[in-house]
Amino acid sequence: MRVAVAGTFGPLHDGHRALLRAALELGDDGVVVALTSDELAGAERTRSVPPYDRRADDVRAEIADMDEWGRDVSVRRLADEHGIATEDPSIDALVVSPETVPEVETINDVRRERGMDPIRAVVVPYVYADDGERISSTRIVRGEIDEHGNVRK
Amino acid sequence: MRVAVAGTFGPLHDGHRALLRAALELGDDGVVVALTSDELAGAERTRSVPPYDRRADDVRAEIADMDEWGRDVSVRRLADEHGIATEDPSIDALVVSPETVPEVETINDVRRERGMDPIRAVVVPYVYADDGERISSTRIVRGEIDEHGNVRK
């Protein structure tokens, strides 16, 4: 199965790691990491986001660390929200967090219109911080938690 | 990954086949088919449902036909809606259709309460009949379409 996973991935945290691990585990025909461009990453956010090259380096380092399967991985710049998944017929599945599932139906509508096969979604459970709230980059930037979900005093 | 797929699977159609195929493809550590008991299958339906043994035979024949990976498959009787998935800690993922995704969050809440790891959902796209409506057992029983989604004259 050829698998894509999309996101901003910065600052990187254990929720991202769960997504990347699922993509690697399932992507026996290859893994595409669709990493948001700085413009797309900044479009709906007020918090600061590390620059693309920094995020790409961090994702590559993380993958090198966890890829026990030796997958064929490429990191590609995602310039619009449903790009890559609606454009690349070779992708079979998209690894997502629960909140992103409805977007896969939108993506599949576009793919069907374009004569492409619809894709599967692999939904990875949320990862929670010590305080029972979800881990997120926003919470890390705010200084509430670290990348593993430990609450900062 | 150890994968479960749940349903009534009768009359069997191409939508069910897409679910079973995904479960077989991904279930390298085993596949559990959670097949609704006659009581559960009848509880929310007015249409006729083939008896459990007939449905189990059909599912097994279908799997024998499509299992090119030689998976370890077991068919188990599902007596209540979220049984098996909330009870078996060895399951890593549940293969579902898009409408069933929200139930996986409910299942994961129960699993977390019970100290079990949450599971992934693998969402398989709907399969459509020739008329652009979804294939369903109800439509087959009504005589509208055949098991492959061909519209009956």
Side-chain angles (χ1 to χ4, degrees):
Chain A
M1 197 158 74
R2 194 164 153 79
V3 170
V5 57
T8 293
F9 294 101
L12 204 72
H13 56 66
D14 283 2
H16 297 134
R17 289 183 182 97
L19 293 169
L20 294 172
R21 193 174 298 111
L24 290 168
E25 193 179 326
L26 299 172
D28 54 353
D29 294 318
V31 175
V32 175
V33 181
L35 190 64
T36 54
S37 66
D38 289 331
E39 294 68 30
L40 183 58
E44 291 179 0
R45 287 187 176 85
T46 50
R47 71 167 170 88
S48 68
V49 174
Y52 180 89
D53 288 343
R54 168 70 192 279
R55 291 182 284 121
D57 285 349
D58 286 353
V59 164
R60 285 194 192 96
E62 201 64 45
I63 285 171
D65 211 46
M66 61 169 68
D67 182 13
E68 59 188 88
W69 305 269
R71 298 306 190 203
D72 174 21
V73 180
S74 62
V75 178
R76 287 160 62 181
R77 192 184 305 259
L78 183 69
D80 65 290
E81 198 185 355
H82 296 148
I84 300 180
T86 56
E87 290 153 9
D88 186 339
S90 76
I91 293 169
D92 302 304
L94 191 59
V95 172
V96 295
S97 59
E99 64 194 347
T100 314
V101 174
E103 295 183 35
V104 181
E105 296 219 50
T106 309
I107 287 166
N108 279 339
D109 289 342
V110 176
R111 287 177 67 97
R112 286 191 186 95
E113 275 169 28
R114 294 179 177 175
M116 294 158 67
D117 285 333
I119 57 178
R120 296 175 186 158
V122 175
V123 190
V124 175
Y126 289 123
V127 179
Y128 293 93
D130 285 347
D131 58 5
E133 300 294 312
R134 276 182 229 157
I135 297 183
S136 73
S137 294
T138 299
R139 298 192 68 201
I140 295 170
V141 172
R142 277 195 207 131
E144 294 173 21
I145 56 171
D146 71 10
E147 63 181 298
H148 305 297
N150 299 304
V151 175
R152 291 182 186 280
K153 307 291 162 174
Chain B
M1 197 159 74
R2 195 164 152 78
V3 170
V5 58
T8 294
F9 294 100
L12 203 74
H13 56 65
D14 283 1
H16 297 133
R17 290 183 182 97
L19 294 169
L20 294 171
R21 192 173 301 113
L24 290 168
E25 193 181 325
L26 299 173
D28 54 352
D29 294 319
V31 174
V32 176
V33 180
L35 190 64
T36 55
S37 67
D38 289 331
E39 294 67 29
L40 183 58
E44 291 179 1
R45 287 188 177 82
T46 50
R47 72 166 170 88
S48 68
V49 173
Y52 181 89
D53 288 342
R54 167 72 193 278
R55 291 182 285 122
D57 285 349
D58 286 353
V59 163
R60 285 193 192 97
E62 201 63 44
I63 285 172
D65 211 46
M66 60 168 71
D67 182 13
E68 58 187 271
W69 306 269
R71 299 304 191 204
D72 173 23
V73 180
S74 63
V75 177
R76 288 159 61 181
R77 193 183 305 259
L78 183 69
D80 66 289
E81 197 185 356
H82 296 149
I84 300 181
T86 56
E87 291 153 7
D88 185 340
S90 77
I91 291 170
D92 302 303
L94 191 60
V95 172
V96 295
S97 60
E99 67 195 348
T100 314
V101 174
E103 293 182 36
V104 181
E105 295 217 51
T106 308
I107 286 167
N108 279 339
D109 289 343
V110 176
R111 288 178 67 98
R112 286 192 187 94
E113 274 168 29
R114 293 178 177 176
M116 294 158 67
D117 286 333
I119 56 176
R120 296 176 187 158
V122 175
V123 190
V124 175
Y126 289 123
V127 178
Y128 292 94
D130 285 347
D131 59 4
E133 300 293 312
R134 276 182 229 157
I135 297 183
S136 73
S137 294
T138 300
R139 298 193 67 201
I140 296 170
V141 171
R142 278 195 205 131
E144 295 173 20
I145 56 172
D146 71 11
E147 64 180 296
H148 305 298
N150 299 303
V151 175
R152 290 182 187 281
K153 309 289 162 175

